Amino acid sequence: NPSNWKSAYLDAGNNPKPLYKAISSTGGNLAITTAPAFSFPPIGGVMLTFATGKSIEGLDFGGTTVRNRIFSVWDRTEFAAGTRSVPSGTSTFETRTYTRQVDGSVKVGTVTAIDWSNRDGWVANFPTDGEMTVSNPELRADTIFLTAIRPSTADECFGTPATTLYL
């Protein structure tokens, strides 16, 4: 019944509050313009994975000063129960790293197991300033797929953006 729908999270004034607000490593707001991929991990709750970036208006693309990110946020049952605060910032997130190779491919840094008793998700910066997601992430066989674009480099012949498929 749609009349029973409401936000599970409320602020002190009883106003709806988002599960998570994406921020840059410098504290600025990042645009979430795609639908998240979601999964149901064996630890309970729901895992929401999304990336940031906005390529909707003419001046959105090519802003090489913004470092967008990929987030995976665990929507714990404790959040709705009020026994744990929803995450703010990335202090309770495990940091993952991506490094762009000379040939343009991306290498994932060392991945260690996440201690979910004190983590609410993970976060990774796109390896290139100005890089952003342009597609909804998809979950297939426990792997997240998403496509990103980044500004072309000065040594490329055309201004066509370069693309990367992240797995």
Side-chain angles (χ1 to χ4, degrees):
N1 182 347
S3 65
N4 292 332
W5 293 357
K6 63 179 181 174
S7 175
Y9 312 111
L10 304 173
D11 66 14
N14 221 23
N15 299 307
K17 177 179 175 179
L19 168 64
Y20 190 73
K21 183 177 173 182
I23 58 165
S24 69
S25 59
T26 60
N29 293 332
L30 294 172
I32 303 169
T33 59
T34 61
F38 64 92
S39 61
F40 301 96
I43 51 179
V46 178
M47 193 70 70
L48 300 167
T49 303
F50 57 90
T52 63
K54 184 167 88 90
S55 184
I56 298 170
E57 301 173 49
L59 297 175
D60 290 340
F61 188 70
T64 57
T65 60
V66 175
R67 183 65 63 116
N68 284 292
R69 301 173 120 179
I70 303 168
F71 294 87
S72 194
V73 181
W74 179 19
D75 187 358
R76 296 171 174 253
T77 55
E78 294 94 330
F79 297 156
T83 57
R84 184 178 175 106
S85 297
V86 295
S88 175
T90 58
S91 64
T92 60
F93 285 55
E94 189 74 23
T95 300
R96 301 293 195 209
T97 58
Y98 292 109
T99 306
R100 184 158 319 280
Q101 306 301 302
V102 174
D103 66 0
S105 64
V106 174
K107 182 178 179 181
V108 178
T110 303
V111 176
T112 57
I114 296 175
D115 178 0
W116 291 108
S117 67
N118 62 9
R119 294 292 186 209
D120 293 319
W122 59 264
V123 60
N125 288 334
F126 280 117
T128 307
D129 285 344
E131 189 166 3
M132 64 184 73
T133 189
V134 294
S135 66
N136 293 334
E138 292 190 34
L139 179 65
R140 305 262 188 234
D142 291 332
T143 302
I144 293 290
F145 294 80
L146 66 90
T147 304
I149 58 174
R150 64 187 184 280
S152 58
T153 59
D155 62 342
E156 294 174 343
C157 296
F158 302 99
T160 304
T163 60
T164 302
L165 174 63
Y166 285 82
L167 309 173

